[in-house]
Amino acid sequence: MNNSRNFEILYAEDNPSDAELTMRGFKKRNLFNRISHVRDGEEALDFLFCRGKFADRDANEVPLFVLLDLKMPKVDGLEVLKAMKADNKLRVVPVIMLTSSSEEKDIVESYELGVNSYIVKPVEFEKLITTVAEIGQYWCIVNKSVI
């Protein structure tokens, strides 16, 4: 890992409407971090492990945090989380599950696999924007990271 603080956020979300609202939430708090949005778990893994269309990405740079949807096509959020926590370099990257699932089994399994936070997406437009703004502010500004 590099010693300079990396301000990139990986955001994995397949729903275009939720993705747009989330980006608005980050902008609402003036978080100017680079946000890499991927649309499924396979793309998230490619980004994290610098393969496929992300093969040219610097493998020494890890995201400040990963905002991850649980139910995604190709590879779900739990599989992405497992892969991250099994990797020596990525296991310290905070992972925030932002999902519509409030099922207890999903929450329990996420925490068992090492998720740092599990947040159920608010249904209301303004509440989602506010929630995302608060997530961004906490993980980008308030939280102290080893990354």
Side-chain angles (χ1 to χ4, degrees):
M1 264 178 271
N2 58 20
N3 291 331
S4 65
R5 186 141 166 122
N6 182 6
F7 290 104
E8 183 161 31
I9 298 166
L10 176 60
Y11 175 42
E13 171 62 65
D14 61 313
N15 182 311
S17 297
D18 286 352
E20 184 181 328
L21 292 175
T22 299
M23 299 302 238
R24 276 197 215 171
F26 283 126
K27 287 178 186 171
K28 182 177 183 176
R29 290 285 165 95
N30 296 319
L31 299 171
F32 296 109
N33 301 53
R34 295 179 319 199
I35 301 170
S36 293
H37 173 231
V38 295
R39 287 156 184 81
D40 60 55
E42 184 176 79
E43 272 192 336
L45 291 172
D46 285 351
F47 178 93
L48 292 163
F49 292 99
C50 302
R51 21 181 231 220
K53 70 180 184 181
F54 301 103
D56 293 337
R57 198 176 76 71
D58 183 349
N60 292 314
E61 288 189 12
V62 295
L64 180 60
F65 69 88
V66 175
L67 193 57
L68 189 60
D69 188 21
L70 183 64
K71 314 268 187 201
M72 292 185 292
K74 297 183 183 177
V75 177
D76 70 17
L78 291 175
E79 289 301 316
V80 173
L81 179 61
K82 279 182 202 175
M84 288 182 67
K85 296 305 177 181
D87 184 84
N88 286 336
K89 182 172 48 173
L90 296 174
R91 72 173 184 232
V92 297
V93 175
V95 178
I96 297 91
M97 199 68 77
L98 180 64
T99 182
S100 56
S101 174
S102 59
E103 293 181 38
E104 185 174 347
K105 70 176 185 62
D106 290 336
I107 297 168
V108 169
E109 189 170 5
S110 294
Y111 278 110
E112 285 176 346
L113 292 173
V115 79
N116 297 84
S117 185
Y118 191 102
I119 300 167
V120 177
K121 291 178 195 172
V123 179
E124 295 175 27
F125 163 82
E126 279 302 319
K127 283 187 181 177
L128 178 59
I129 290 176
T130 300
T131 298
V132 169
E134 290 170 355
I135 291 168
Q137 184 170 4
Y138 176 78
W139 290 102
C140 292
I141 298 169
V142 177
N143 184 58
K144 299 298 177 210
S145 175
V146 296
I147 298 171

